[in-house]
Amino acid sequence: MLRTFDVVLIGIMTAAATVTYTIKHRAELKLEEVNRLEAEIKLEKDTIDLLKADWALQSQPNRLERLVNSYNDELKLQPTDSTALVQVRELPMLKSQVPVPEITEAKNSKKPDGSTGTALVAKALPKPVPQARAEEPQDENLMSTGSVE
């Protein structure tokens, strides 16, 4: 009986060691993945910082003024009048808000096979217009640009 009990305990210990090793191996793989992802995140952050610095250099007013002066003959740029700027409420409506025209003409049409037929008169149903959202009180000179900063 003692030998059977010893064999059972050895089997349980072997199973426990196998499970422990498997868990340790999976944890090491996850740690490697976390380290790889952290390295990718650092690279992306460094790239973003580099692009921001490049944008700051590219959009310097002195540089832009030099470019405008150099290419003024080809571009024919002029200063923007303050009256040329519009507010959001002055923009035309979206395509989805344009009413659908009604089809009212019925004409005889010639089919490709040479026979004639009468075109059907159809009345297009208007698309549902989205309800306007209640505007929040805002400064009328501010406009959302979708910036993430």
Side-chain angles (χ1 to χ4, degrees):
M1 172 141 165
L2 186 60
R3 290 187 180 191
T4 309
F5 184 67
D6 290 342
V7 170
V8 170
L9 285 179
I10 290 173
I12 291 173
M13 286 176 27
T14 305
T18 304
V19 168
T20 303
Y21 176 76
T22 305
I23 291 172
K24 178 186 176 217
H25 182 66
R26 287 182 184 166
E28 287 174 350
L29 291 176
K30 291 295 180 183
L31 182 62
E32 287 176 11
E33 184 179 354
V34 166
N35 289 337
R36 182 184 56 81
L37 289 173
E38 285 177 347
E40 285 181 19
I41 290 170
K42 183 179 182 325
L43 178 66
E44 291 295 324
K45 285 183 178 180
D46 291 345
T47 303
I48 289 170
D49 289 342
L50 180 66
L51 290 172
K52 283 182 180 179
D54 187 44
W55 178 253
L57 287 173
Q58 295 293 326
S59 62
Q60 284 181 344
N62 293 338
R63 179 183 174 277
L64 294 175
E65 186 177 4
R66 242 183 315 119
L67 289 173
V68 166
N69 291 335
S70 299
Y71 296 103
N72 196 24
D73 295 335
E74 292 101 19
L75 297 176
K76 297 179 181 142
L77 297 174
Q78 296 176 357
T80 305
D81 294 332
S82 62
T83 58
L85 301 176
V86 297
Q87 299 297 322
V88 175
R89 65 178 176 275
E90 297 172 329
L91 294 174
M93 67 176 97
L94 298 173
K95 267 188 172 179
S96 62
Q97 296 174 337
V98 175
V100 178
E102 294 181 11
I103 302 170
T104 57
E105 292 185 19
K107 295 183 179 179
N108 287 334
S109 61
K110 203 169 214 184
K111 294 182 182 175
D113 61 0
S115 64
T116 60
T118 305
L120 296 176
V121 177
K123 185 175 183 180
L125 297 175
K127 288 185 182 177
V129 177
Q131 297 293 330
R133 292 185 287 162
E135 291 193 23
E136 300 170 6
Q138 294 181 355
D139 183 11
E140 63 181 35
N141 294 327
L142 295 179
M143 181 174 70
S144 173
T145 60
S147 176
V148 292
E149 287 188 20

